Amino acid sequence: GAGVSQSPSNKVTEKGKDVELRCDPISGHTALYWYRQSLGQGLEFLIYFQGNSAPDKSGLPSDRFSAERTGGSVSTLTIQRTQQEDSAVYLCASSLYIREGETQYFGPGTRLLVL
Amino acid sequence: AQTVTQSQPEMSVQEAETVTLSCTYDTSENNYYLFWYKQPPSRQMILVIRQEAYKQQNATENRFSVNFQKAAKSFSLKISDSQLGDTAMYFCAFMKHPGNTPLVFGKGTRLSVIA
């Protein structure tokens, strides 16, 4: 079946602009995660959605970052007033929530470059 | 907080040979889950193998196996009969129990398989 998809694949923006990154999880997966992969910091957790529960936003680096998940499916990560340090690959993952320790399946990521 | 350490930033191996990638982690938890993910140049993170901490038996998946030493908090990945397609970044990841929580990743090991 279809895997996790993300769009756009690449995004170049100017410092100070807002950007939106989209994630389509695997159908039926109720858990959705956003991670950031940067050269200096490795892979960092950003935010986590599970069903209708309040999202876990503990990994968001600043209030310029926000995310929503509409209808329990598609998610959008928004970065306002982008800074050069926001340049990174943003990865989305989804999983079932039937048993403990479900495997997370990743999308191909969005590479963001802030000039 | 949990931490994951991969002490080998880069490794290389001859095709058909065996290579072992190291991973250690720090946690006060007794139950948890461990994963190895592969990230080829395409950026797509792919699950290689997973291990539940409560299982004493080491997980195996075809040419991939782990050596899980719970007391030593060590989780190494052994790749047998290395193939050119195994060339990628390999990430060790930790998931705490209970639930399906965000992954904590190591910095990764870049593996090159040489013909």
Side-chain angles (χ1 to χ4, degrees):
Chain A
V4 178
S5 61
Q6 292 185 245
S7 61
S9 179
N10 296 282
K11 175 75 175 176
V12 180
T13 190
E14 294 178 349
K15 178 181 172 182
K17 302 276 188 169
D18 297 352
V19 295
E20 287 189 349
L21 312 179
R22 177 187 169 104
C23 172
D24 282 89
I26 294 172
S27 177
H29 281 192
T30 58
L32 187 148
Y33 308 78
W34 283 98
Y35 296 89
R36 179 169 70 175
Q37 184 175 21
S38 54
L39 281 176
Q41 301 298 322
L43 274 151
E44 307 169 277
F45 158 69
L46 296 176
I47 188 168
Y48 159 49
F49 297 88
Q50 166 46 32
N52 296 320
S53 302
D56 177 352
K57 304 179 183 180
S58 60
L60 294 178
S62 77
D63 58 8
R64 296 186 295 105
F65 288 73
S66 62
E68 62 177 20
R69 188 178 186 190
T70 53
S73 181
V74 171
S75 177
T76 301
L77 176 70
T78 300
I79 309 173
Q80 296 179 309
R81 305 181 303 280
T82 51
Q83 304 294 312
Q84 289 181 330
E85 60 262 30
D86 299 334
S87 296
V89 174
Y90 290 83
L91 294 169
C92 173
S94 71
S95 75
L96 294 168
Y97 202 94
I98 297 174
R99 56 172 186 167
E100 299 288 332
E102 294 280 7
T103 295
Q104 295 178 22
Y105 296 89
F106 284 79
T110 294
R111 183 180 297 278
L112 174 66
L113 178 61
V114 182
L115 300 177
Chain B
Q2 289 78 19
T3 58
V4 177
T5 302
Q6 294 179 250
S7 59
Q8 305 149 315
E10 294 188 23
M11 294 190 73
S12 62
V13 62
Q14 291 290 130
E15 198 174 8
E17 296 295 308
T18 295
V19 63
T20 298
L21 308 184
S22 299
C23 173
T24 58
Y25 56 93
D26 185 24
T27 184
S28 58
E29 309 280 338
N30 188 48
N31 291 325
Y32 47 87
Y33 308 89
L34 296 164
F35 303 82
W36 277 98
Y37 279 90
K38 166 186 177 180
Q39 187 179 42
S42 66
R43 283 199 323 241
Q44 184 89 44
M45 294 278 279
I46 303 164
L47 178 71
V48 175
I49 200 165
R50 53 174 284 146
Q51 175 84 39
E52 290 85 357
Y54 61 85
K55 290 186 177 179
Q56 293 185 335
Q57 186 173 7
N58 289 325
T60 63
E61 285 289 340
N62 300 314
R63 298 183 294 108
F64 299 88
S65 61
V66 297
N67 182 6
F68 173 48
Q69 301 287 330
K70 191 172 184 180
K73 297 180 183 175
S74 171
F75 183 60
S76 61
L77 174 69
K78 184 172 82 171
I79 306 174
S80 303
D81 185 26
S82 297
Q83 301 176 359
L84 295 177
D86 295 335
T87 294
M89 282 289 289
Y90 286 81
F91 292 94
C92 178
F94 175 99
M95 179 190 288
K96 69 178 183 179
H97 178 279
N100 289 285
T101 54
L103 295 166
V104 176
F105 287 91
K107 297 288 189 187
T109 295
R110 183 177 302 280
L111 177 67
S112 298
V113 180
I114 303 164

mmCIF file of all heavy atoms in Angstrom, chain A residues 21-48:
data_model
loop_
_atom_site.group_PDB
_atom_site.id
_atom_site.type_symbol
_atom_site.label_atom_id
_atom_site.label_comp_id
_atom_site.label_asym_id
_atom_site.label_seq_id
_atom_site.Cartn_x
_atom_site.Cartn_y
_atom_site.Cartn_z
ATOM 1 N N LEU A 21 4.612 22.804 5.591
ATOM 2 C CA LEU A 21 5.047 21.488 5.137
ATOM 3 C C LEU A 21 3.926 20.500 5.420
ATOM 4 O O LEU A 21 3.330 20.508 6.496
ATOM 5 C CB LEU A 21 6.323 21.063 5.884
ATOM 6 C CG LEU A 21 7.450 22.104 5.968
ATOM 7 C CD1 LEU A 21 8.624 21.543 6.742
ATOM 8 C CD2 LEU A 21 7.862 22.580 4.605
ATOM 9 N N ARG A 22 3.680 19.606 4.443
ATOM 10 C CA ARG A 22 2.523 18.723 4.548
ATOM 11 C C ARG A 22 2.945 17.278 4.699
ATOM 12 O O ARG A 22 3.951 16.847 4.118
ATOM 13 C CB ARG A 22 1.668 18.882 3.300
ATOM 14 C CG ARG A 22 0.446 17.962 3.227
ATOM 15 C CD ARG A 22 -0.228 18.068 1.881
ATOM 16 N NE ARG A 22 -1.218 17.020 1.691
ATOM 17 C CZ ARG A 22 -2.536 17.229 1.775
ATOM 18 N NH1 ARG A 22 -3.018 18.431 2.024
ATOM 19 N NH2 ARG A 22 -3.392 16.227 1.586
ATOM 20 N N CYS A 23 2.164 16.530 5.468
ATOM 21 C CA CYS A 23 2.413 15.101 5.657
ATOM 22 C C CYS A 23 1.106 14.334 5.513
ATOM 23 O O CYS A 23 0.112 14.652 6.183
ATOM 24 C CB CYS A 23 3.007 14.838 7.040
ATOM 25 S SG CYS A 23 3.147 13.084 7.466
ATOM 26 N N ASP A 24 1.118 13.308 4.655
ATOM 27 C CA ASP A 24 -0.014 12.387 4.520
ATOM 28 C C ASP A 24 0.392 11.040 5.112
ATOM 29 O O ASP A 24 1.238 10.353 4.523
ATOM 30 C CB ASP A 24 -0.387 12.186 3.053
ATOM 31 C CG ASP A 24 -1.185 13.343 2.506
ATOM 32 O OD1 ASP A 24 -0.558 14.292 2.005
ATOM 33 O OD2 ASP A 24 -2.412 13.286 2.588
ATOM 34 N N PRO A 25 -0.163 10.654 6.239
ATOM 35 C CA PRO A 25 0.268 9.401 6.869
ATOM 36 C C PRO A 25 -0.311 8.185 6.150
ATOM 37 O O PRO A 25 -1.168 8.317 5.272
ATOM 38 C CB PRO A 25 -0.317 9.524 8.276
ATOM 39 C CG PRO A 25 -1.557 10.342 8.079
ATOM 40 C CD PRO A 25 -1.213 11.337 6.998
ATOM 41 N N ILE A 26 0.147 7.042 6.540
ATOM 42 C CA ILE A 26 -0.410 5.794 6.024
ATOM 43 C C ILE A 26 -1.859 5.679 6.510
ATOM 44 O O ILE A 26 -2.142 5.958 7.682
ATOM 45 C CB ILE A 26 0.424 4.586 6.497
ATOM 46 C CG1 ILE A 26 1.818 4.645 5.862
ATOM 47 C CG2 ILE A 26 -0.264 3.266 6.164
ATOM 48 C CD1 ILE A 26 2.796 3.620 6.394
ATOM 49 N N SER A 27 -2.743 5.290 5.602
ATOM 50 C CA SER A 27 -4.151 5.185 5.941
ATOM 51 C C SER A 27 -4.354 4.248 7.135
ATOM 52 O O SER A 27 -3.806 3.131 7.170
ATOM 53 C CB SER A 27 -4.926 4.652 4.733
ATOM 54 O OG SER A 27 -6.293 4.482 5.046
ATOM 55 N N GLY A 28 -5.102 4.723 8.122
ATOM 56 C CA GLY A 28 -5.378 3.910 9.307
ATOM 57 C C GLY A 28 -4.413 4.131 10.452
ATOM 58 O O GLY A 28 -4.656 3.672 11.572
ATOM 59 N N HIS A 29 -3.324 4.833 10.196
ATOM 60 C CA HIS A 29 -2.373 5.127 11.266
ATOM 61 C C HIS A 29 -2.896 6.312 12.076
ATOM 62 O O HIS A 29 -3.102 7.395 11.543
ATOM 63 C CB HIS A 29 -0.994 5.452 10.690
ATOM 64 C CG HIS A 29 -0.228 4.232 10.300
ATOM 65 N ND1 HIS A 29 1.121 4.287 9.984
ATOM 66 C CD2 HIS A 29 -0.596 2.936 10.167
ATOM 67 C CE1 HIS A 29 1.544 3.066 9.703
ATOM 68 N NE2 HIS A 29 0.522 2.235 9.790
ATOM 69 N N THR A 30 -3.051 6.093 13.374
ATOM 70 C CA THR A 30 -3.604 7.152 14.214
ATOM 71 C C THR A 30 -2.527 8.012 14.870
ATOM 72 O O THR A 30 -2.811 9.085 15.362
ATOM 73 C CB THR A 30 -4.499 6.548 15.314
ATOM 74 O OG1 THR A 30 -3.720 5.625 16.091
ATOM 75 C CG2 THR A 30 -5.691 5.824 14.712
ATOM 76 N N ALA A 31 -1.303 7.539 14.890
ATOM 77 C CA ALA A 31 -0.212 8.313 15.485
ATOM 78 C C ALA A 31 0.625 8.949 14.384
ATOM 79 O O ALA A 31 0.923 8.308 13.366
ATOM 80 C CB ALA A 31 0.668 7.419 16.362
ATOM 81 N N LEU A 32 0.993 10.215 14.581
ATOM 82 C CA LEU A 32 1.781 10.951 13.587
ATOM 83 C C LEU A 32 2.842 11.767 14.303
ATOM 84 O O LEU A 32 2.554 12.421 15.312
ATOM 85 C CB LEU A 32 0.866 11.855 12.744
ATOM 86 C CG LEU A 32 1.498 12.580 11.549
ATOM 87 C CD1 LEU A 32 0.472 12.738 10.429
ATOM 88 C CD2 LEU A 32 2.089 13.908 11.951
ATOM 89 N N TYR A 33 4.060 11.718 13.785
ATOM 90 C CA TYR A 33 5.204 12.369 14.416
ATOM 91 C C TYR A 33 5.889 13.275 13.407
ATOM 92 O O TYR A 33 6.022 12.929 12.234
ATOM 93 C CB TYR A 33 6.234 11.325 14.875
ATOM 94 C CG TYR A 33 5.685 10.196 15.723
ATOM 95 C CD1 TYR A 33 4.990 9.139 15.148
ATOM 96 C CD2 TYR A 33 5.878 10.184 17.101
ATOM 97 C CE1 TYR A 33 4.492 8.095 15.917
ATOM 98 C CE2 TYR A 33 5.386 9.140 17.882
ATOM 99 C CZ TYR A 33 4.701 8.100 17.282
ATOM 100 O OH TYR A 33 4.212 7.071 18.048
ATOM 101 N N TRP A 34 6.407 14.388 13.887
ATOM 102 C CA TRP A 34 7.304 15.239 13.096
ATOM 103 C C TRP A 34 8.676 15.249 13.768
ATOM 104 O O TRP A 34 8.780 15.408 14.993
ATOM 105 C CB TRP A 34 6.781 16.671 13.017
ATOM 106 C CG TRP A 34 5.660 16.893 12.071
ATOM 107 C CD1 TRP A 34 4.334 16.950 12.364
ATOM 108 C CD2 TRP A 34 5.763 17.142 10.663
ATOM 109 N NE1 TRP A 34 3.598 17.208 11.219
ATOM 110 C CE2 TRP A 34 4.462 17.331 10.170
ATOM 111 C CE3 TRP A 34 6.833 17.222 9.764
ATOM 112 C CZ2 TRP A 34 4.182 17.603 8.829
ATOM 113 C CZ3 TRP A 34 6.563 17.486 8.432
ATOM 114 C CH2 TRP A 34 5.259 17.673 7.968
ATOM 115 N N TYR A 35 9.713 15.086 12.926
ATOM 116 C CA TYR A 35 11.095 15.158 13.374
ATOM 117 C C TYR A 35 11.850 16.134 12.467
ATOM 118 O O TYR A 35 11.462 16.364 11.325
ATOM 119 C CB TYR A 35 11.788 13.788 13.276
ATOM 120 C CG TYR A 35 11.225 12.706 14.164
ATOM 121 C CD1 TYR A 35 10.185 11.893 13.715
ATOM 122 C CD2 TYR A 35 11.735 12.476 15.438
ATOM 123 C CE1 TYR A 35 9.664 10.886 14.523
ATOM 124 C CE2 TYR A 35 11.222 11.472 16.246
ATOM 125 C CZ TYR A 35 10.190 10.674 15.778
ATOM 126 O OH TYR A 35 9.685 9.678 16.579
ATOM 127 N N ARG A 36 12.939 16.667 12.997
ATOM 128 C CA ARG A 36 13.801 17.537 12.201
ATOM 129 C C ARG A 36 15.193 16.901 12.169
ATOM 130 O O ARG A 36 15.712 16.478 13.224
ATOM 131 C CB ARG A 36 13.863 18.935 12.813
ATOM 132 C CG ARG A 36 14.763 19.888 12.066
ATOM 133 C CD ARG A 36 14.586 21.314 12.545
ATOM 134 N NE ARG A 36 15.094 21.550 13.888
ATOM 135 C CZ ARG A 36 15.127 22.743 14.463
ATOM 136 N NH1 ARG A 36 14.662 23.795 13.823
ATOM 137 N NH2 ARG A 36 15.603 22.881 15.685
ATOM 138 N N GLN A 37 15.785 16.877 10.984
ATOM 139 C CA GLN A 37 17.124 16.310 10.817
ATOM 140 C C GLN A 37 18.041 17.396 10.303
ATOM 141 O O GLN A 37 17.908 17.854 9.168
ATOM 142 C CB GLN A 37 17.101 15.127 9.853
ATOM 143 C CG GLN A 37 18.439 14.418 9.713
ATOM 144 C CD GLN A 37 18.352 13.182 8.848
ATOM 145 O OE1 GLN A 37 17.438 13.022 8.032
ATOM 146 N NE2 GLN A 37 19.296 12.264 9.016
ATOM 147 N N SER A 38 18.966 17.824 11.133
ATOM 148 C CA SER A 38 19.912 18.857 10.733
ATOM 149 C C SER A 38 21.325 18.381 11.003
ATOM 150 O O SER A 38 21.545 17.487 11.817
ATOM 151 C CB SER A 38 19.635 20.168 11.468
ATOM 152 O OG SER A 38 19.620 19.960 12.869
ATOM 153 N N LEU A 39 22.292 19.005 10.323
ATOM 154 C CA LEU A 39 23.676 18.539 10.405
ATOM 155 C C LEU A 39 24.206 18.625 11.832
ATOM 156 O O LEU A 39 24.873 17.724 12.310
ATOM 157 C CB LEU A 39 24.557 19.358 9.459
ATOM 158 C CG LEU A 39 24.495 18.963 7.993
ATOM 159 C CD1 LEU A 39 25.324 19.909 7.139
ATOM 160 C CD2 LEU A 39 24.978 17.531 7.806
ATOM 161 N N GLY A 40 23.909 19.673 12.492
ATOM 162 C CA GLY A 40 24.478 19.864 13.818
ATOM 163 C C GLY A 40 23.766 19.119 14.932
ATOM 164 O O GLY A 40 24.382 18.716 15.919
ATOM 165 N N GLN A 41 22.466 18.895 14.769
ATOM 166 C CA GLN A 41 21.644 18.366 15.868
ATOM 167 C C GLN A 41 21.174 16.942 15.642
ATOM 168 O O GLN A 41 20.533 16.367 16.513
ATOM 169 C CB GLN A 41 20.425 19.264 16.084
ATOM 170 C CG GLN A 41 20.757 20.703 16.412
ATOM 171 C CD GLN A 41 21.531 20.821 17.700
ATOM 172 O OE1 GLN A 41 21.282 20.113 18.661
ATOM 173 N NE2 GLN A 41 22.515 21.706 17.718
ATOM 174 N N GLY A 42 21.437 16.360 14.500
ATOM 175 C CA GLY A 42 20.936 15.008 14.264
ATOM 176 C C GLY A 42 19.426 15.021 14.101
ATOM 177 O O GLY A 42 18.842 15.986 13.631
ATOM 178 N N LEU A 43 18.781 13.941 14.514
ATOM 179 C CA LEU A 43 17.327 13.801 14.407
ATOM 180 C C LEU A 43 16.678 14.201 15.723
ATOM 181 O O LEU A 43 16.918 13.602 16.758
ATOM 182 C CB LEU A 43 16.954 12.362 14.086
ATOM 183 C CG LEU A 43 16.953 11.981 12.630
ATOM 184 C CD1 LEU A 43 17.274 10.512 12.444
ATOM 185 C CD2 LEU A 43 15.593 12.296 12.015
ATOM 186 N N GLU A 44 15.792 15.217 15.652
ATOM 187 C CA GLU A 44 15.126 15.693 16.865
ATOM 188 C C GLU A 44 13.623 15.572 16.701
ATOM 189 O O GLU A 44 13.075 15.926 15.651
ATOM 190 C CB GLU A 44 15.410 17.178 17.074
ATOM 191 C CG GLU A 44 16.827 17.619 17.078
ATOM 192 C CD GLU A 44 16.877 19.139 17.029
ATOM 193 O OE1 GLU A 44 16.775 19.698 15.918
ATOM 194 O OE2 GLU A 44 16.983 19.762 18.094
ATOM 195 N N PHE A 45 12.962 15.158 17.761
ATOM 196 C CA PHE A 45 11.509 15.112 17.804
ATOM 197 C C PHE A 45 10.952 16.531 17.895
ATOM 198 O O PHE A 45 11.484 17.373 18.628
ATOM 199 C CB PHE A 45 11.079 14.289 19.018
ATOM 200 C CG PHE A 45 9.688 14.562 19.498
ATOM 201 C CD1 PHE A 45 8.605 14.184 18.741
ATOM 202 C CD2 PHE A 45 9.473 15.202 20.700
ATOM 203 C CE1 PHE A 45 7.314 14.436 19.183
ATOM 204 C CE2 PHE A 45 8.194 15.457 21.162
ATOM 205 C CZ PHE A 45 7.111 15.079 20.402
ATOM 206 N N LEU A 46 9.881 16.800 17.174
ATOM 207 C CA LEU A 46 9.236 18.108 17.222
ATOM 208 C C LEU A 46 7.870 18.032 17.897
ATOM 209 O O LEU A 46 7.609 18.696 18.895
ATOM 210 C CB LEU A 46 9.079 18.680 15.815
ATOM 211 C CG LEU A 46 10.371 18.994 15.061
ATOM 212 C CD1 LEU A 46 10.045 19.466 13.644
ATOM 213 C CD2 LEU A 46 11.186 20.046 15.801
ATOM 214 N N ILE A 47 6.961 17.222 17.325
ATOM 215 C CA ILE A 47 5.598 17.180 17.818
ATOM 216 C C ILE A 47 4.983 15.829 17.481
ATOM 217 O O ILE A 47 5.385 15.184 16.522
ATOM 218 C CB ILE A 47 4.761 18.342 17.222
ATOM 219 C CG1 ILE A 47 3.374 18.439 17.867
ATOM 220 C CG2 ILE A 47 4.650 18.195 15.710
ATOM 221 C CD1 ILE A 47 2.638 19.736 17.506
ATOM 222 N N TYR A 48 3.990 15.411 18.273
ATOM 223 C CA TYR A 48 3.396 14.083 18.154
ATOM 224 C C TYR A 48 1.889 14.186 18.351
ATOM 225 O O TYR A 48 1.436 14.813 19.308
ATOM 226 C CB TYR A 48 4.056 13.188 19.211
ATOM 227 C CG TYR A 48 3.320 11.946 19.646
ATOM 228 C CD1 TYR A 48 2.792 11.057 18.722
ATOM 229 C CD2 TYR A 48 3.190 11.628 21.001
ATOM 230 C CE1 TYR A 48 2.140 9.904 19.137
ATOM 231 C CE2 TYR A 48 2.544 10.482 21.424
ATOM 232 C CZ TYR A 48 2.023 9.621 20.485
ATOM 233 O OH TYR A 48 1.399 8.476 20.895
#
